[in-house]
Amino acid sequence: MQKTRSSAMWYDDLLKQLRSHDWLSLIGRYAVALVLIAFAVAPALWVVSSSLNPAKSLGSGSLWPKHPSLVNYDELFNNDFFPYTTWLKNSLKIASISTAGTVTITCLAGYALSRFRFKGRRQFMIAILILNVFPSILGMVAIYTSIQQLGLYISAVGLDTHGSLILIYVAGSMGINVLMVKAYIDTIPVELDESALVDGASPWQTFRHIIFPIMRPIVITIGVLTFIAAYGDFVIARVLLKSSNQLTVMVGLLLFQTDRFDQDFGMITAGAVIAAIPIILIYIPLQRYVIDGLTAGSVKG
Amino acid sequence: MNQSSPQLSRLSYVINLGVVGVMLVAMMRVILMMMADGLYPLASALSAITVFLALVYLRRRFTPVRWFGIGIALALLFTLYPILFTLYLSVTNMGSGHLMTKPQAVDQLESQLYLPEGGQTYGWTAYESPGGNYALWLLPEEGPGLLAIPGQSIEAVTVGERGVGELDDDGIPESIEGYERLPVNRTVAIIPALGAIDFGKAPNTVRIRSLREAAELKQKYRYDDGQDAIVDEETGTLFKPLKGTFTSVEGEELTPGYIVYVGIKHFDHFIGNARFREPLFKIFGWNVAFAFWSVFLSFAVGLMVTLLFEGLPGSRLIRALLIIPWPIPVLISILIWRNMLNPDLGFVAPALESIFGSSPAWFQDAAWTRIGLIMVNVWLSYPYFYVISAGAIRSIPHEIYDAAVVDGAGHWNKFYHITLPLLLRILMPLLIASFTFNFNNFNVIYIFNFGRPPMPDTIVPMGQTDILISFVYRLAFINTNVTNYGLAAAITVMLFFLISMMVVFQVRFTNLFREAE
């Protein structure tokens, strides 16, 4: 707290200096701000405006349609070419199940790594870190071919199934996420566990009734990050899913784009807007958790 | 735990034993089937994971690991195994025409049938069930009629058996229960469909050959264990294994081929074949440039947002607007940019034309595609750099600046000599991590323009804006006729190597392993 305030004072000093300089710098900074804002906002604004433009194929060139209407949205959900509603449901289903699985696995693993001492514990965590440095995208050829082979014997996790996708997303949670949860539990006093154990609770009861309830912030962070990642994933879903009814909304949108780009441009933009909404809805109230998660470890000192 | 009664813990042990036992049996079955099909890598991985799980959930010693045994099993199968399997693939010929193991290929060849010229022939009559299934009544030259239904053995049937009704003058049943006899004109119309059906049960099946004749099919290929070769039963030709394909002396090849070890052939491609090596180096060069400029410019813009608007009236609003790109899913953002820059749809081309009189060919010209890619990537990632640099600046103690002010340093000097070096020190691990991430940023490259425009005159298709990972994708997934998993895996192995070097570099700047303490 002290530190924040003092750095704020430092900023004030810097600002006084800057302000005292001249008007030009102030105008210059606003000009830069305007250019950057235009750069940042234009795509979002443009996609919304195009989705409201009833003219089917041609962009009007203007930033706002003359006769806005929802006809593109209506068509999006009632067209004969693409099962957009199914795609959206698939994405929400896959992301939700992956999130539930990830939260379960990381919480249990984090608790065990934080509270129990066993042989190989440190080596295990180092192994996690090492495996984690290779982006999962590098495995795409191997994952595709193995899932194809696996599917010959266990059809629920073969190609074109949601099962395989969910397992891969959940498996990805055994990376940095586990260490984040472990680090969080490390900050919870061990005395809490010990008093519960003295009262005769089993380790499981201690975790379930004492520790898990106070893990809310980290559970939300992990949950939100997993949901956003699973919902937004493109590559693995693109590689593993084939039939139109199985696709996620991200893969579907690209298919949309490549197949019917000329005919139904308005519909594509409407699809993009709708597909972005779940993430924005999650992001706005929980932004703090996303930022905590993504910057974990960056500003420790 | 100490208080729990012995009976209870024995009960839980028995339950554990039961669950593990069921898992063991199920996994053993799968693993044995895989072994029989020659899928040794996957079978070994599953065996190792099964043994691990059985140990963890049965031996008391491993109780703490039970909390995350399933997690480890998943990570082994979907994180570690793909890395090892990539190494394996990189020394095989797996790709189009060689997608199966040898036992699988033999199985598939042995299931192929042919219509022998000589063999047993029949006259036939077709019947159709309401569900659209067909049955045949077969009449041999001599002897009783036979009923042939797909998937059931062909047998001689007398009236009354299996629902066969009275025979007409030609010895053909008027009716078969569950089926309707088709008149000749209807039969003619569906001959193409009927001709594709194998009636009966392998290895004795019958297929129709013409309107009058159906004939017994025979197995075309047989695998001879002793000679390790495939025999063509129709012609007597012998096909011997040659580089993953059963090949005859005349050079005729059987499909499918199968997966074999090819050594460092793919790696030799990079080094030995200039027509491959040179474009690959171009891809690599662009890959490095793309990652570097993406990180550099995103960081610059992010830092600018942090520093430039500090204390400016309205800065909160400015920053709120500037962070807008962040929550939009990446794929959607890139699609929007792609359409926005499209000359026919977006507003960018008309706008640029009205100012400069012309607008760049974002998707046809390699240089402009590259500029577009970096611009889109900066748009996607500067909010992240803004957030982390704002956090890092807060952690710089202000006392450091006091001394500088005493020495009369201006704000530019303070930025250049104090803020920037300290920030770089704090953020270097993240900058390197971000470089690694962008080095493999498949999404931006692929979704924006699929790595196009294509490079002219290359032995395998390559794009001028491809990076290594999108080239891997191209080799493996774009054109299924020339899929080359082996080569794709070999390039991936190279990527693993490059990334390992980046990580070693990163470890020097950070206590990556501190978290494991």
Side-chain angles (χ1 to χ4, degrees):
Chain A
M1 209 61 209
Q2 191 57 43
K3 205 172 168 185
T4 335
R5 190 179 294 165
S6 63
S7 64
M9 275 161 58
W10 160 69
Y11 271 125
D12 283 345
D13 290 348
L14 185 73
L15 286 172
K16 268 177 214 145
Q17 279 209 352
L18 279 174
R19 271 198 203 119
S20 66
H21 256 257
D22 53 2
W23 273 88
L24 273 175
S25 106
L26 205 64
I27 294 169
R29 284 154 78 199
Y30 276 120
V32 174
L34 273 180
V35 171
L36 277 181
I37 288 172
F39 178 61
V41 174
L45 215 57
W46 179 78
V47 74
V48 173
S49 99
S50 302
S51 75
L52 296 172
N53 189 348
K56 274 202 107 166
S57 53
L58 287 177
S60 55
S62 68
L63 210 52
W64 198 252
K66 289 193 184 68
H67 309 287
S69 94
L70 290 174
V71 62
N72 288 321
Y73 290 88
D74 187 45
E75 240 180 84
L76 179 69
F77 290 105
N78 305 299
N79 73 81
D80 303 329
F81 315 111
F82 290 111
Y84 187 80
T85 320
T86 310
W87 293 344
L88 203 58
K89 277 188 201 149
N90 289 344
S91 281
L92 293 172
K93 180 188 97 180
I94 292 169
S96 308
I97 300 177
S98 305
T99 305
T102 299
V103 166
T104 311
I105 284 189
T106 50
C107 286
L108 292 175
Y111 182 73
L113 289 172
S114 171
R115 291 303 196 249
F116 306 142
R117 291 293 173 271
F118 50 91
K119 219 176 146 193
R121 173 176 164 277
R122 197 183 125 77
Q123 287 82 345
F124 173 69
M125 286 191 278
I126 289 179
I128 284 182
L129 283 169
I130 292 176
L131 276 184
N132 211 55
V133 302
F134 297 110
S136 59
I137 190 173
L138 293 191
M140 66 185 173
V141 175
I143 284 179
Y144 173 81
T145 46
S146 331
I147 288 288
Q148 186 185 38
Q149 294 177 347
L150 207 56
L152 298 176
Y153 309 92
I154 312 172
S155 55
V157 291
L159 287 182
D160 210 19
T161 64
H162 294 163
S164 58
L165 215 52
I166 290 168
L167 283 185
I168 290 168
Y169 294 152
V170 174
S173 71
M174 283 305 277
I176 207 80
N177 284 350
V178 167
L179 299 181
M180 275 166 64
V181 176
K182 183 234 166 212
Y184 187 88
I185 299 177
D186 283 344
T187 65
I188 301 173
V190 187
E191 287 74 23
L192 274 178
D193 302 53
E194 281 166 355
S195 63
L197 288 169
V198 167
D199 289 346
S202 68
W204 166 249
Q205 287 166 328
T206 311
F207 169 75
R208 177 70 191 80
H209 298 293
I210 311 286
I211 303 300
F212 186 69
I214 50 179
M215 284 168 64
R216 224 177 94 100
I218 193 70
V219 166
I220 296 177
T221 300
I222 300 286
V224 168
L225 289 179
T226 310
F227 192 92
I228 291 178
Y231 184 88
D233 173 62
F234 171 70
V235 193
I236 307 281
R238 175 79 184 82
V239 165
L240 294 184
L241 301 178
K242 293 279 167 284
S243 51
S244 178
N245 277 323
Q246 289 289 93
L247 298 186
T248 63
V249 74
M250 295 298 149
V251 180
L253 272 178
L254 190 73
L255 191 77
F256 223 143
Q257 165 88 25
T258 39
D259 278 17
R260 301 197 58 83
F261 171 64
D262 300 328
Q263 297 97 321
D264 297 308
F265 179 66
M267 214 157 96
I268 294 168
T269 51
V273 171
I274 297 280
I277 285 177
I279 298 304
I280 294 173
L281 284 185
I282 290 174
Y283 182 83
I284 289 171
L286 301 173
Q287 184 180 8
R288 184 165 63 86
Y289 297 96
V290 182
I291 292 177
D292 279 359
L294 288 181
T295 57
S298 64
V299 281
K300 277 182 181 164
Chain B
M1 200 147 110
N2 300 330
Q3 273 81 0
S4 56
S5 64
Q7 284 94 334
L8 194 66
S9 73
R10 196 170 305 144
L11 179 69
S12 79
Y13 183 75
V14 170
I15 292 174
N16 244 351
L17 199 62
V19 173
V20 172
V22 170
M23 177 203 77
L24 273 178
V25 171
M27 290 309 289
M28 281 298 282
R29 227 191 102 216
V30 169
I31 289 166
L32 285 175
M33 289 192 315
M34 284 180 177
M35 296 288 277
D37 286 343
L39 295 173
Y40 302 114
L42 190 56
S44 331
L46 285 180
S47 309
I49 290 168
T50 309
V51 169
F52 165 79
L53 284 176
L55 280 179
V56 164
Y57 288 97
L58 289 181
R59 298 287 302 271
R60 218 185 162 71
R61 209 148 69 79
F62 297 113
T63 309
V65 185
R66 285 181 200 176
W67 288 69
F68 51 105
I70 305 282
I72 296 181
L74 283 176
L76 287 175
L77 188 58
F78 293 113
T79 310
L80 181 60
Y81 174 71
I83 296 177
L84 301 177
F85 193 60
T86 304
L87 287 175
Y88 164 82
L89 279 180
S90 70
V91 292
T92 69
N93 65 344
M94 190 174 184
S96 47
H98 301 271
L99 292 169
M100 307 177 174
T101 63
K102 194 170 170 188
Q104 284 175 318
V106 167
D107 263 3
Q108 197 170 97
L109 286 170
E110 286 193 327
S111 71
Q112 292 183 22
L113 304 169
Y114 76 105
L115 285 171
E117 276 309 316
Q120 175 75 33
T121 59
Y122 307 92
W124 59 275
T125 310
Y127 296 76
E128 186 180 12
S129 78
N133 296 316
Y134 297 101
L136 290 188
W137 183 259
L138 302 173
L139 276 178
E141 300 277 322
E142 285 168 20
L146 300 111
L147 179 61
I149 296 174
Q152 299 178 20
S153 11
I154 301 170
E155 13 172 69
V157 183
T158 52
V159 175
E161 279 181 325
R162 294 178 68 180
V164 171
E166 289 298 318
L167 302 184
D168 65 11
D169 297 343
D170 299 323
I172 300 165
E174 302 282 3
S175 67
I176 295 175
E177 203 177 303
Y179 293 88
E180 191 193 337
R181 181 168 163 180
L182 294 176
V184 175
N185 58 352
R186 173 95 178 93
T187 308
V188 171
I190 58 167
I191 274 203
L194 283 177
I197 302 173
D198 290 339
F199 292 92
K201 189 175 173 184
N204 297 307
T205 54
V206 163
R207 199 181 279 194
I208 64 164
R209 189 144 70 175
S210 69
L211 186 53
R212 298 183 183 286
E213 197 178 62
E216 196 173 330
L217 294 171
K218 286 211 169 121
Q219 180 180 332
K220 181 152 171 73
Y221 299 109
R222 191 174 47 77
Y223 179 67
D224 186 330
D225 243 338
Q227 302 186 72
D228 183 27
I230 293 270
V231 183
D232 185 333
E233 305 266 68
E234 188 177 4
T235 61
T237 318
L238 200 65
F239 294 84
K240 294 209 155 191
L242 180 71
K243 292 180 183 169
T245 311
F246 289 108
T247 315
S248 73
V249 184
E250 285 83 37
E252 193 191 344
E253 296 183 339
L254 295 182
T255 46
Y258 52 92
I259 304 168
V260 287
Y261 172 78
V262 294
I264 58 161
K265 178 182 151 197
H266 301 305
F267 295 95
D268 199 35
H269 241 49
F270 315 150
I271 303 159
N273 188 339
R275 285 197 57 211
F276 190 88
R277 184 180 61 223
E278 278 159 17
L280 190 69
F281 266 78
K282 278 189 199 153
I283 288 179
F284 176 73
W286 157 240
N287 200 344
V288 173
F290 170 72
F292 173 80
W293 287 109
S294 295
V295 175
F296 180 79
L297 293 174
S298 307
F299 181 53
V301 175
L303 193 57
M304 187 161 84
V305 175
T306 307
L307 295 175
L308 200 59
F309 307 133
E310 190 59 45
L312 197 67
S315 68
R316 279 175 65 98
L317 178 69
I318 294 175
R319 285 182 181 149
L321 287 170
L322 286 180
I323 214 161
I324 277 184
W326 203 353
I328 304 175
V330 171
L331 175 124
I332 293 177
S333 302
I334 305 167
L335 273 188
I336 296 173
W337 270 101
R338 208 179 115 155
N339 292 328
M340 209 166 76
L341 295 177
N342 184 295
D344 298 327
L345 300 166
F347 67 90
V348 176
L352 290 178
E353 270 162 32
S354 67
I355 301 171
F356 301 107
S358 73
S359 147
W362 295 105
F363 304 100
Q364 290 79 35
D365 184 284
W368 280 107
T369 310
R370 288 174 179 175
I371 291 171
L373 282 164
I374 291 173
M375 180 174 73
V376 170
N377 208 14
V378 169
W379 187 87
L380 288 169
S381 39
Y382 80 82
Y384 170 74
F385 284 100
Y386 154 57
V387 168
I388 60 166
S389 56
I393 276 188
R394 247 177 263 127
S395 72
I396 299 179
H398 72 112
E399 289 84 2
I400 295 180
Y401 293 95
D402 295 345
V405 173
V406 170
D407 292 345
H411 59 264
W412 170 252
N413 270 327
K414 285 202 285 188
F415 170 74
Y416 192 74
H417 292 292
I418 302 177
T419 315
L420 189 62
L422 280 174
L423 266 187
L424 284 179
R425 241 184 91 140
I426 299 171
L427 295 179
M428 192 46 86
L430 283 180
L431 290 173
I432 299 172
S434 179
F435 182 86
T436 313
F437 172 80
N438 279 304
F439 196 79
N440 299 293
N441 199 334
F442 172 82
N443 282 348
V444 173
I445 300 289
Y446 180 75
I447 298 164
F448 187 72
N449 201 25
F450 305 105
R452 290 187 297 222
M455 278 191 204
D457 304 324
T458 49
I459 350 177
V460 291
M462 291 171 165
Q464 296 198 50
T465 61
D466 261 329
I467 56 176
L468 290 170
I469 191 70
S470 69
F471 176 52
V472 167
Y473 181 90
R474 191 186 286 279
L475 282 174
F477 301 113
I478 294 256
N479 190 343
T480 44
N481 300 327
V482 291
T483 294
N484 193 335
Y485 295 125
L487 183 57
I491 292 169
T492 310
V493 169
M494 214 169 69
L495 269 171
F496 276 124
F497 181 69
L498 288 171
I499 289 164
S500 308
M501 294 203 310
M502 291 177 207
V503 170
V504 170
F505 197 58
Q506 187 183 1
V507 170
R508 291 184 56 124
F509 284 96
T510 176
N511 299 320
L512 180 66
F513 298 123
R514 186 182 49 187
E515 305 241 12
E517 292 303 328

